[in-house]
Amino acid sequence: MFTGIVAGTGRITSIIRRAEDFSLEVDAGGFVPEPVIGESVAVDGVCLTVTSARGQTLSFDVSVETLSRTSLGAAKPGNAVNLERAMRMGDRLGGHLVSGHVDAVGALVSASPSGQGYEVEVELPAEGMKYVIEKGSIAISGISLTVAQKKERSVTVAVIPHTWSATILPGLRPGGRVNIEYDMIGKYVENFMSAFHGAGKSGPSGGEISEEFLARHGFLK
């Protein structure tokens, strides 16, 4: 589990391609001190497992599923990536709950100065817009950000100077691919309500929340 508070940026040093997937090497640049084999690190918002470490050069295996759903499928040596180490129980939750399980790939529309910071607009897939609410949370390439404005197919976020300088955002250009993770609370609520509506259609309550429904789902004993 992560918080979306990026520690800093690393750089992809090599990609070892296999038949369908690949192994990724990243120079973590000191942002993952004393790395441990088997620990989780968010690389551009993608939860990956450290398979080997030589100093600050970390290796990760990237699965076919991850390549198909994230921007890592188009990764190249030399690319900068956001890095965040998994949080410990009891750590401060400075951003919001981020799983590192990317939902979709978006595209940068624009990044323009706004006050001391920047206003960034990102295009999202149409099917994901239902998870976006103004003033809600969204993770863009692993960065915890607050939705300033929701448009028909995009969101704008306000980025403070520290976040701008500590992440890959300055290097992105219009059309650049970014990993999107929607607020997990919204996704869980949708899943729960889908189950409720499905139960209601065939149940005696006609879709209403009944004692039977609450007991079946663990709310009553």
Side-chain angles (χ1 to χ4, degrees):
M1 190 67 71
F2 307 91
T3 69
I5 304 301
V6 172
T9 60
R11 194 162 297 278
I12 297 174
T13 56
S14 72
I15 295 174
I16 303 172
R17 299 190 179 275
R18 299 185 284 253
E20 296 182 313
D21 56 12
F22 62 55
S23 176
L24 185 71
E25 286 194 346
V26 175
D27 179 354
F31 293 111
V32 185
E34 300 181 1
V36 177
I37 307 303
E39 75 167 290
S40 295
V41 175
V43 179
D44 265 3
V46 183
C47 180
L48 298 176
T49 300
V50 177
T51 56
S52 70
R54 301 188 310 280
Q56 275 292 292
T57 299
L58 311 181
S59 295
F60 307 91
D61 286 330
V62 185
S63 69
V64 174
E65 169 72 6
T66 299
L67 292 175
S68 68
R69 285 184 175 267
T70 73
S71 65
L72 293 182
K76 298 178 181 179
N79 286 1
V81 288
N82 291 326
L83 297 173
E84 182 191 354
R85 206 168 197 173
M87 65 185 295
R88 295 187 179 94
M89 291 296 292
D91 281 353
R92 288 186 178 89
L93 185 58
H96 71 283
L97 292 174
V98 178
S99 68
H101 302 156
V102 170
D103 292 301
V105 175
L108 180 72
V109 176
S110 63
S112 55
S114 177
Q116 296 297 310
Y118 292 82
E119 181 181 84
V120 175
E121 182 176 357
V122 174
E123 182 182 16
L124 304 177
E127 61 270 18
M129 295 303 300
K130 60 185 176 181
Y131 301 117
V132 179
I133 61 171
E134 290 193 0
K135 308 310 176 187
S137 297
I138 191 169
I140 298 176
S141 286
I143 310 166
S144 175
L145 294 165
T146 301
V147 176
Q149 184 179 11
K150 176 182 178 180
K151 301 182 180 181
E152 184 177 355
R153 280 288 308 277
S154 67
V155 297
T156 62
V157 294
V159 180
I160 63 172
H162 171 76
T163 301
W164 180 263
S165 63
T167 67
I168 66 168
L169 291 176
L172 291 177
R173 298 293 178 265
R177 291 156 56 90
V178 290
N179 293 317
I180 302 296
E181 182 181 333
Y182 304 112
D183 186 2
M184 68 171 65
I185 295 174
K187 292 184 288 185
Y188 276 114
V189 169
E190 180 193 43
N191 187 70
F192 177 80
M193 293 307 295
S194 296
F196 161 63
H197 287 303
K201 290 177 182 177
S202 59
S205 62
E208 298 177 358
I209 297 179
S210 64
E211 287 190 11
E212 177 191 358
F213 173 83
L214 293 174
R216 182 160 19 97
H217 291 276
F219 291 97
L220 294 176
K221 294 183 179 180

